Amino acid sequence: MPTDIPHDLQPRTGMDVDAFREDIKQHLQYTLAKDQYVSTEWDHYHSVVMTVMDRLHDRWIDTQQRYYQQKAKRVYYLSMEYLIGRLLDNMLINLGLQDVAAEAIEGLGLDYDVLRETEVDAGLGNGGLGRLAACFLDSMATLGVPAIGYGIRYDYGIFDQDIVDGWQVEKPDLWLEYGYPWSIVRPRKKYKIQFYGETTASKDARGRLHFDWVNTHKVNALAYDTPIPGFQNGVVNTLRLWKATSDEGFDLKSFNQGDYIDAVRNNLLEENISRVLYPNDKVFKGQELRLKQEYFLVSASLQDAMQRFKKQFDDLRKIPAQMAVQCNDTHPNLAIPELMRVLMDEEELEWEPAWDIVTRTMNYTNHTLMPEALEQWPVSLMSNLLPRHTQIIREIDRRFLNTIRVSGRTREQRERMRIVSNEMNARVRMGNLGIVGAKKVNGVSQLHSDLMKKTIFKDFAQEFPGKFTNVTNGITPRRWLRQCNRGLAGLISDRIGEEWMTHLDQLKRVQDFTEDDSFRESVQQIKLANKKRLADYVKRQHGVGINPHSIFDIQIKRIHEYKRQLMAVMHAVTLYNRLKENPGADIEPRTLLFAGKAAPGYTMAKLHIKLINSVAEIINNDPDVSDTLRVLFLPDYSVSLAEKMIPAADLSEQISTAGMEASGTGNMKFALNGALTIGTLDGANIEIREQVGPDNIFIFGFTVDEIDAIRQNGYEPKAIYEEDQELKQVIDQIHSGYFSPEAPNLFHPITNALLNEGDYFMVLGDYRSYVDKQAEVERVYKQQPEWTRKAIINIANMGHFSSDRSIRDYCERIWDVEVREG
Ligand SMILES: *Cc1c(COP(=O)(O)O)cnc(C)c1O
């Protein structure tokens, strides 16, 4: 909106050290009202952030103006989670200002590393899905894709994890306690979000049946924007997070009755919608508040997108050419009925043209095949909260049933394919809704996309063969190499230049140096320095010493039975038993490091954390073994902790039950930082093996097909236990309280699940091949030149796993958007 304020500003964008330093001082005094006597680390950090923001604003405005002038097709990325972590380094690197800022900061007598650590992680996600969204934002900006990320500005992100007496204890994540200087509130970007109420039908003037959604409760969605700069290309995109507010004033009835406090308190209830991130990873819990959150995100984001569209276009049929909406998992799939509702009830389109627009605009990414993760909302719950949407979903379902009746699907198939299940307590299947309503449906690795078509969505793959595609996940090389591992990034740039940062395929050229002694030695030295830095951090934070010359064997990810942290602890116990049996055993010193959060309600996962800590307690305090073997669980896994641990890893544990890890992205981060992988043929591990070659990765365990066959023939974990003496000893120890003398029965739920409840995740089935593969790891590690050669080959072949490649694939296969080459 034009204003009378003259636009003749001197840009505050000096990119030199002096200008940067002076602006920090300016902000300290004139924005924060602090002097050198009373300013705190937070003030210094805050001043630096505002100095960086100043330098983003011109580019941000210019980018948005350019998109507008070019009438660019927009990509709308809808995600309930963004695990972005700290931003200071990332912003400075992408602006090309890291050295300038460091020098300016040192010039003020401050410590850059201290300031960096002052920032709180924005932990608005659980794990891989949220981190993927964050990597994609970085890549979309770097490729100049006109994208907006939409999400929710939770007051509380993923909980902080304490470990007390070996157990996980959750604490609220107070990330906004002192404000969040990377975001700007947009008071004019506020939309009404409706809930509850009922639908009414009436004939309009033209005799057309018209539906209204009336008597609704209303909540506001208020926009908070964070700039997302591309890598040194002048582009700045937006992450727009919605906060729930209420301005209906007060609850008038209570107010008039003089109940002032109640009137105000009810207000606050509306704001609960954006209060807290649900901490479950890959499990569906049908809570109403969660459905409210999902609709809140969808409704606010589509209103915003439609407003932007209508400012420049009046023909709604242009929507598919002007917008691509990507739903990160089923969570935002209400966007399908919501866009139908907007087009029909507000824009007065008929069903067919509206449906044509929707099905050429929406896209859905599937993230898991595990049945307990699939969202299926009870119709009773949904129709109460979203009566009009439920009506529309039923109509989508009815029409879809008619088409598949014609196309010859059997009755059984039709029942499986229905969006609204035909049962007593009917449910809305959000995956089926996504497939029927989307232009494209993608899985996140080749294996996962193939299995999707062969298993849960088999009928749909036959019905809509062209709809399904794959986009293998990726990671941004800016954060996951340049930022977290300056040593290795610098060495690579010295040898092949800096182009790898935006064209990760260029890393191929370091393969020429596998036989170069000085390069190999440098890679080794950098790894050792990273391990020492992690060891110092662990010592400082937790008072525990670890040997930087031991193998750093790391498993960091959410704690989940399918990820099989249990199997890695069982390997630790196996090594322990061998050392106790034979104190002179030639076992390479090894440090097993774990980190990860368990969902607060996931009792078994929490017991696994307790087991890791109990095993660590015994092993680390046993003088017979503690020089050779250490086990440590580092609390409060986060993006920032990952950035410290991954560059220090020798061995990356990617040991999920085959078929259960859709892709994994942790696996990619480790390999890019020169760790070797021990893993199953699951998710993107398969593509990593293809890229690095089978000699440069340690693959073990059952394949998906073998697991299928074993389940068919009857899997017998108890027989495996009886026949493998080492395995039996490990299980017996866990069972008998060897690691929990104070509570000998403590771990019975674990041993029961393995021996008496079918060992669904096939830990026992894969144990022997895992332990034997670990022995091979050790043999190769002893040959350091050989190990380093393999590590370099891993680094050299990670080009495929850049999230830039993923985004190019989305642009080509799904969004139909041109990439602006930088
Ligand atoms: C990359 C990442 C993940 C995903 O790890 P996986 O091993 O793929 O499960 C989870 N959490 C954080 C903090 C990450 O950085």
Side-chain angles (χ1 to χ4, degrees):
M1 192 170 300
T3 64
D4 295 333
I5 300 172
H7 200 82
D8 54 359
L9 302 167
Q10 287 300 312
R12 263 209 274 191
T13 51
M15 302 295 266
D16 55 300
V17 175
D18 289 344
F20 204 93
R21 191 186 56 237
E22 291 312 303
D23 280 357
I24 296 173
K25 284 159 53 180
Q26 290 271 337
H27 276 301
L28 194 60
Q29 178 140 343
Y30 293 109
T31 315
L32 298 179
K34 287 291 186 93
D35 62 25
Q36 70 268 39
Y37 303 112
V38 296
S39 60
T40 63
E41 265 158 23
W42 175 261
D43 297 322
H44 301 147
Y45 158 74
H46 199 165
S47 305
V48 170
V49 172
M50 286 184 293
T51 302
V52 178
M53 286 290 271
D54 289 340
R55 282 148 183 79
L56 282 161
H57 289 165
D58 289 342
R59 292 165 178 78
W60 200 2
I61 289 166
D62 288 349
T63 301
Q64 302 310 315
Q65 282 179 359
R66 185 167 53 76
Y67 291 158
Y68 182 84
Q69 281 151 10
Q70 295 173 343
K71 299 191 171 168
K73 180 170 184 178
R74 311 286 181 135
V75 171
Y76 293 116
Y77 197 81
L78 269 51
S79 180
M80 289 289 282
E81 305 190 14
Y82 290 90
L83 194 48
I84 54 186
R86 290 180 177 142
L87 290 182
L88 181 58
D89 256 354
N90 170 246
M91 295 284 192
L92 290 172
I93 288 168
N94 283 12
L95 285 171
L97 277 177
Q98 201 184 29
D99 293 335
V100 166
E103 205 183 322
I105 288 164
E106 307 289 328
L108 293 167
L110 305 172
D111 184 331
Y112 180 68
D113 289 331
V114 170
L115 290 195
R116 180 173 42 200
E117 296 278 321
T118 302
E119 180 166 358
V120 282
D121 271 53
L124 306 184
N126 278 290
L129 173 142
R131 183 55 233 174
L132 184 76
C135 284
F136 281 1
L137 292 178
D138 186 81
S139 284
M140 290 188 291
T142 295
L143 292 170
V145 174
I148 298 184
Y150 284 118
I152 294 178
R153 191 179 204 255
Y154 303 106
D155 295 328
Y156 302 99
I158 188 65
F159 61 85
D160 290 340
Q161 179 194 56
D162 264 359
I163 300 297
V164 177
D165 197 20
W167 295 96
Q168 167 175 300
V169 174
E170 302 91 22
K171 293 186 312 182
D173 161 42
L174 302 177
W175 73 294
L176 289 174
E177 192 172 17
Y178 305 115
Y180 188 66
W182 295 115
S183 71
I184 298 179
V185 62
R186 303 292 190 197
R188 298 296 300 270
K189 291 287 172 195
K190 199 158 88 170
Y191 299 100
K192 285 260 176 295
I193 314 299
Q194 310 187 78
F195 296 102
Y196 303 109
E198 66 250 358
T199 64
T200 60
S202 57
K203 284 256 165 67
D204 66 15
R206 290 176 293 155
R208 169 184 177 276
L209 194 57
H210 183 96
F211 289 90
D212 277 309
W213 183 16
V214 298
N215 297 331
T216 54
H217 287 212
K218 295 182 185 68
V219 181
N220 293 313
L222 175 63
Y224 284 75
D225 288 352
T226 295
I228 306 291
F231 180 72
Q232 299 180 9
N233 63 353
V235 171
V236 180
N237 284 346
T238 303
L239 170 60
R240 177 162 283 179
L241 300 181
W242 303 107
K243 177 184 166 67
T245 69
S246 112
D247 73 353
E248 290 289 279
F250 303 98
D251 174 350
L252 277 181
K253 204 160 57 183
S254 317
F255 196 70
N256 292 337
Q257 286 162 4
D259 204 344
Y260 172 78
I261 295 295
D262 262 7
V264 178
R265 204 173 53 199
N266 281 340
N267 254 341
L268 291 177
L269 285 179
E270 312 296 350
E271 299 179 355
N272 279 335
I273 291 175
S274 58
R275 191 72 70 217
V276 59
L277 166 75
Y278 276 91
N280 312 303
D281 194 49
K282 304 188 166 152
V283 240
F284 173 66
K285 312 247 173 189
Q287 282 119 341
E288 185 185 53
L289 181 58
R290 168 71 178 196
L291 186 61
K292 270 191 184 170
Q293 290 183 336
E294 294 181 354
Y295 180 64
F296 175 77
L297 166 66
V298 157
S299 171
S301 308
L302 285 184
Q303 287 185 61
D304 201 40
M306 284 300 288
Q307 189 183 80
R308 192 171 294 110
F309 173 85
K310 286 170 81 172
K311 214 166 144 183
Q312 291 197 290
F313 305 93
D314 42 27
D315 184 352
L316 296 169
R317 288 171 303 183
K318 293 202 169 122
I319 287 176
Q322 288 301 318
M323 298 186 196
V325 177
Q326 191 66 43
C327 295
N328 193 22
D329 212 322
T330 52
H331 318 145
N333 277 355
L334 283 172
I336 290 162
E338 171 66 0
L339 188 56
M340 284 301 285
R341 187 189 68 80
V342 169
L343 292 176
M344 293 189 306
D345 299 357
E346 295 176 8
E347 304 294 341
E348 319 235 297
L349 290 189
E350 301 293 327
W351 182 279
E352 286 81 7
W355 185 242
D356 177 68
I357 291 168
V358 167
T359 52
R360 291 193 295 128
T361 303
M362 296 294 161
N363 303 285
Y364 151 54
T365 304
N366 174 274
H367 281 272
T368 173
L369 308 176
M370 292 194 298
E372 66 269 30
L374 297 180
E375 284 193 297
Q376 304 195 14
W377 289 102
V379 170
S380 52
L381 192 160
M382 189 181 277
S383 60
N384 181 46
L385 187 69
L386 301 167
R388 178 64 180 131
H389 297 79
T390 310
Q391 206 176 37
I392 291 170
I393 290 169
R394 284 189 185 284
E395 180 63 11
I396 296 172
D397 190 39
R398 191 187 66 80
R399 288 170 182 249
F400 174 61
L401 264 181
N402 284 341
T403 67
I404 56 178
R405 215 169 262 129
V406 176
S407 72
R409 302 278 142 220
T410 66
R411 188 188 170 79
E412 258 175 33
Q413 282 183 313
R414 294 200 308 265
E415 289 304 327
R416 281 200 298 263
M417 294 169 83
R418 289 194 62 160
I419 298 167
V420 183
S421 66
N422 185 16
E423 56 188 331
M424 267 282 279
N425 295 305
R427 288 159 185 270
V428 177
R429 298 160 169 159
M430 298 300 283
N432 295 16
L433 175 63
I435 297 171
V436 174
K439 180 172 81 159
K440 294 282 179 179
V441 178
N442 74 289
V444 290
S445 72
Q446 196 58 59
L447 174 77
H448 166 70
S449 295
D450 291 345
L451 288 175
M452 198 170 77
K453 290 192 285 182
K454 280 200 239 160
T455 62
I456 52 171
F457 297 146
K458 183 170 160 218
D459 310 308
F460 289 104
Q462 292 168 8
E463 183 69 25
F464 306 116
K467 217 181 245 212
F468 289 84
T469 186
N470 172 246
V471 178
T472 297
N473 283 167
I475 56 170
T476 169
R478 274 74 65 184
R479 182 177 293 262
W480 296 111
L481 182 50
R482 169 64 184 76
Q483 178 178 321
C484 72
N485 197 344
R486 273 200 101 160
L488 184 59
L491 175 69
I492 291 169
S493 296
D494 283 348
R495 294 298 179 116
I496 65 166
E498 297 202 325
E499 217 188 312
W500 61 268
M501 282 190 245
T502 47
H503 295 84
L504 201 63
D505 295 333
Q506 290 285 321
L507 285 182
K508 263 259 151 61
R509 293 166 57 201
V510 307
Q511 196 147 331
D512 297 345
F513 304 120
T514 41
E515 301 309 321
D516 176 331
D517 291 343
S518 97
F519 187 79
R520 272 211 315 273
E521 265 166 39
S522 299
V523 169
Q524 273 173 18
Q525 279 166 9
I526 289 162
K527 183 61 77 183
L528 182 61
N530 293 341
K531 290 165 76 175
K532 284 181 173 158
R533 195 172 318 117
L534 180 62
D536 287 347
Y537 170 84
V538 169
K539 183 85 202 176
R540 242 187 358 261
Q541 292 288 314
H542 307 291
V544 184
I546 53 177
N547 171 12
H549 296 281
S550 62
I551 305 176
F552 277 20
D553 173 349
I554 305 190
Q555 186 174 22
I556 48 178
K557 47 184 79 247
R558 286 297 288 240
I559 312 296
H560 206 299
E561 284 163 287
Y562 83 81
K563 290 176 184 276
R564 299 198 293 192
Q565 279 90 358
L566 178 58
M567 198 164 67
V569 205
M570 287 168 57
H571 174 241
V573 175
T574 307
L575 293 179
Y576 169 78
N577 289 338
R578 287 179 187 172
L579 279 164
K580 291 296 275 185
E581 181 85 4
N582 177 6
D586 181 23
I587 289 181
E588 189 67 20
R590 194 189 278 250
T591 304
L592 267 92
L593 295 168
F594 293 89
K597 294 173 182 175
Y602 192 169
T603 312
M604 186 61 92
K606 290 174 119 174
L607 193 58
H608 285 180
I609 293 176
K610 173 64 176 170
L611 176 64
I612 295 169
N613 283 308
S614 301
V615 167
E617 180 82 12
I618 298 289
I619 290 180
N620 300 346
N621 291 303
D622 187 331
D624 294 349
V625 305
S626 62
D627 282 345
T628 311
L629 192 59
R630 289 226 152 200
V631 178
L632 224 55
F633 186 96
L634 299 186
D636 207 29
Y637 184 49
S638 64
V639 170
S640 290
L641 187 57
E643 289 170 22
K644 293 182 172 73
M645 296 180 80
I646 289 168
D650 295 305
L651 188 63
S652 158
E653 297 275 351
Q654 307 300 336
I655 58 178
S656 51
T657 314
M660 296 198 183
E661 187 73 272
S663 164
T665 49
N667 47 3
M668 303 166 187
K669 300 168 194 166
F670 279 102
L672 181 61
N673 283 275
L676 301 194
T677 303
I678 184 164
T680 46
L681 284 175
D682 199 13
N685 294 352
I686 293 175
E687 286 157 81
I688 293 176
R689 182 178 71 156
E690 281 165 15
Q691 296 291 322
V692 306
D695 292 343
N696 301 302
I697 185 168
F698 300 98
I699 296 291
F700 71 94
F702 296 138
T703 61
V704 171
D705 289 344
E706 284 166 350
I707 287 177
D708 268 359
I710 293 166
R711 288 204 204 279
Q712 293 275 317
N713 298 330
Y715 173 56
E716 286 182 38
K718 204 143 199 177
I720 301 171
Y721 155 87
E722 295 291 354
E723 278 160 29
D724 188 323
Q725 286 318 295
E726 278 194 316
L727 171 62
K728 184 166 186 306
Q729 187 184 3
V730 170
I731 300 224
D732 290 348
Q733 286 166 315
I734 294 171
H735 187 80
S736 67
Y738 187 96
F739 300 106
S740 54
E742 72 293 350
N745 299 339
L746 184 62
F747 298 120
H748 282 193
I750 294 178
T751 51
N752 257 328
L754 297 177
L755 296 177
N756 307 322
E757 289 160 17
D759 180 21
Y760 183 70
F761 301 96
M762 300 217 175
V763 174
L764 301 198
D766 273 345
Y767 167 87
R768 180 46 51 192
S769 71
Y770 177 59
V771 167
D772 289 348
K773 192 52 72 171
Q774 286 281 15
E776 192 183 320
V777 167
E778 210 176 296
R779 286 196 294 278
V780 179
Y781 192 82
K782 286 181 182 354
Q783 311 294 322
Q784 271 294 296
E786 187 54 27
W787 182 275
T788 307
R789 214 172 270 127
K790 291 180 192 297
I792 294 169
I793 293 171
N794 270 262
I795 297 165
N797 290 286
M798 283 304 111
H800 182 63
F801 303 103
S802 170
S803 46
D804 299 345
R805 189 273 310 144
S806 307
I807 292 304
R808 281 201 180 85
D809 287 351
Y810 276 99
C811 285
E812 236 171 70
R813 298 175 192 172
I814 299 179
W815 300 335
D816 196 18
V817 163
E818 293 276 336
V819 169
R820 205 180 69 143
E821 276 303 327

